[in-house]
Amino acid sequence: MDITLFDPTQIRLNLLPFTFTRPVAEIRIGILKISEKWKKYGFNVGFKTEEYLSNKYPGSSDLMVNGALCPNPSLVDAIKSIQPNQRLVAGEQVLAQTGTGSEEIVYEGDFRLISNPWEIFLHNREQIIADFELITQGRESAEITDPHTIVYGKENVFIEEGVSIKAAIINAEKGPVYIGKNTEIHEGVTIRGAFALCEGSHVNMGSKIRGDSTVGPYSRVGGEVSNSVIFGYSNKGHEGFLGNSVIGEWCNLGADTNTSNLKNNYASVKLWSYGAGRFADTGLQFCGLMMGDHAKCGINTMFNTGTVVGVGANVFGPGYPRNFVPSFSWGGAQGFTTFQLRKFYEVTEAVMTRRGKTLDETERSMLSAIFESTSENRIWEKK
């Protein structure tokens, strides 16, 4: 069955900077991207998104499904039952629609809709559990053969083929642990579920994974990680704390980078909202770093509680940078200049080549569009 996952306008704005470079449904939460969850339920998916993204993410069907929706069996059944010109709604939220959507059908089941960046880490545990069941049902896990690795709750651990684990401690008693294909868990690593390590990724020596976290494909993590999501192709390879955070693709956190996830006065964290054009109250006591694709930071970088870093930013230097770092910024606490596209492309080509990827014309066109559209946030350019 074909569906097109559409970007709800306000939700897409709220989910920036992550939706600068992808449709809403390409956000990873749990083990899988939202689009991949729908594929696991047997759907062929396309996208309805911003024009500058449409070459990379084309559409496919008249049956439109809200791209912020994480599927579940009840929701899948309801969407498969939609007839021509019907609209499936929950309150004021359109969940799915065909044609004119003139006939309204009310959905009364449970669903998870991701409408703000912090909800990615907030609901990550729930989605790891759901994806774990979806991926592993009816399958048999590979065995851990290393005699020096200790596993608690073995029934909640699933190992794909080609995995290397040496002298680690894995505790899955309070949440599942999924170890993807061709991954490596190095010596001295301690992992507590729920946790997902996706294909081709590494957890470096002595790392402490405190649970409810996802490391997307072809990434490296080290140090201490708690309740965070790394989309993929990104590195946090060294010591330092990452907590209650979301990191996009092609990011690099320098050695001893630390994120604050709790204010000294224990107050609710405010986070820059692209949709509102101001800092918005998350209602959360714990909230760390939101970092868009292709962003980097230097060694010993300190990110304050509730910091948003845009696409292609490069942050470095002493002190805390501002809580909102616009896309294609270059600098830190001492001030910013613009990371010009020519220099940015040089870095990006080098980074992607290391992962066997190329910066093609589709990607360049997309990134150029983002550079132009985010210029209003780089206020120093107006001086």
Side-chain angles (χ1 to χ4, degrees):
M1 187 174 186
D2 293 339
I3 60 173
T4 291
L5 298 166
F6 71 89
D7 288 356
T9 301
Q10 191 58 49
I11 288 177
R12 178 190 175 271
L13 288 173
N14 291 347
L15 286 169
L16 296 172
F18 304 113
T19 47
F20 275 131
T21 47
R22 59 179 56 78
V24 171
E26 285 290 274
I27 283 174
R28 186 177 302 277
I29 178 172
I31 302 172
L32 304 168
K33 298 176 182 178
I34 295 174
S35 62
E36 292 171 340
K37 300 175 196 286
W38 288 101
K39 290 177 184 177
K40 285 290 183 181
Y41 276 100
F43 293 94
N44 300 313
V45 306
F47 304 91
K48 182 174 174 55
T49 185
E50 297 297 299
E51 184 176 352
Y52 74 91
L53 294 172
S54 59
N55 285 339
K56 185 176 180 179
Y57 300 102
S60 67
S61 169
D62 180 56
L63 175 51
M64 311 291 288
V65 176
N66 191 318
L69 276 175
C70 297
N72 61 50
S74 172
L75 184 60
V76 165
D77 288 343
I79 287 173
K80 286 182 175 179
S81 300
I82 291 178
Q83 300 301 309
N85 297 318
Q86 286 186 338
R87 179 175 56 180
L88 187 69
V89 300
E92 297 182 357
Q93 191 68 58
V94 176
L95 305 183
Q97 179 175 317
T98 60
T100 62
S102 54
E103 181 185 354
E104 189 170 281
I105 307 296
V106 177
Y107 176 73
E108 297 181 346
D110 294 331
F111 64 93
R112 174 64 62 205
L113 184 137
I114 306 302
S115 56
N116 290 291
W118 59 87
E119 293 174 6
I120 299 170
F121 72 75
L122 188 65
H123 301 302
N124 196 51
R125 175 185 175 84
E126 165 200 287
Q127 290 299 308
I128 290 176
I129 293 169
D131 288 349
F132 186 88
E133 182 177 349
L134 191 63
I135 291 171
T136 66
Q137 190 172 24
R139 300 176 63 214
E140 186 174 338
S141 171
E143 290 293 326
I144 298 175
T145 58
D146 175 56
H148 304 293
T149 291
I150 301 171
V151 179
Y152 301 93
K154 183 179 178 181
E155 67 279 7
N156 296 324
V157 177
F158 193 91
I159 311 292
E160 298 283 5
E161 64 181 27
V163 172
S164 173
I165 304 175
K166 303 290 186 185
I169 300 173
I170 301 174
N171 186 346
E173 291 181 338
K174 294 184 178 180
V177 173
Y178 174 82
I179 309 299
K181 182 179 178 180
N182 298 328
T183 56
E184 291 190 30
I185 298 176
H186 299 191
E187 300 87 340
V189 170
T190 305
I191 294 172
R192 174 168 289 193
F195 176 62
L197 183 67
C198 299
E199 181 176 353
S201 290
H202 290 228
V203 184
N204 290 347
M205 290 186 296
S207 301
K208 299 178 286 293
I209 310 297
R210 289 173 47 189
D212 304 341
S213 293
T214 296
V215 177
Y218 304 101
S219 300
R220 288 179 178 266
V221 295
E224 184 178 5
V225 179
S226 176
N227 191 196
S228 296
V229 178
I230 298 173
F231 285 179
Y233 297 94
S234 292
N235 289 337
K236 181 211 171 299
H238 304 282
E239 295 300 317
F241 175 69
L242 181 72
N244 304 97
S245 298
V246 182
I247 307 298
E249 293 186 343
W250 305 109
C251 297
N252 187 75
L253 277 63
D256 202 34
T257 292
N258 285 283
T259 63
S260 170
N261 64 341
L262 175 67
K263 298 180 74 171
N264 286 353
N265 61 1
Y266 288 64
S268 178
V269 178
K270 292 183 178 180
L271 200 69
W272 176 259
S273 168
Y274 287 87
R278 57 178 172 78
F279 285 90
D281 193 346
T282 65
L284 300 176
Q285 196 172 64
F286 290 91
C287 185
L289 170 67
M290 306 289 125
M291 177 177 275
D293 288 11
H294 296 285
K296 312 284 189 292
C297 66
I299 62 170
N300 298 316
T301 302
M302 301 184 297
F303 288 110
N304 223 326
T305 320
T307 294
V308 174
V309 176
V311 173
N314 200 310
V315 182
F316 54 87
Y320 288 98
R322 54 191 290 189
N323 283 47
F324 170 48
V325 179
S327 296
F328 300 98
S329 298
W330 176 277
Q334 309 306 310
F336 289 98
T337 58
T338 300
F339 194 5
Q340 297 296 336
L341 274 180
R342 179 178 60 83
K343 291 291 187 181
F344 167 78
Y345 285 149
E346 289 177 2
V347 174
T348 304
E349 285 176 341
V351 169
M352 295 181 72
T353 298
R354 294 179 69 228
R355 292 288 196 273
K357 300 289 185 179
T358 57
L359 181 64
D360 60 23
E361 287 306 313
T362 299
E363 291 283 336
R364 284 174 178 267
S365 176
M366 179 187 75
L367 291 163
S368 295
I370 297 166
F371 182 85
E372 296 300 328
S373 68
T374 56
S375 62
E376 63 183 16
N377 297 131
R378 297 189 292 273
I379 56 175
W380 55 87
E381 293 182 351
K382 301 177 175 63
K383 295 179 179 179

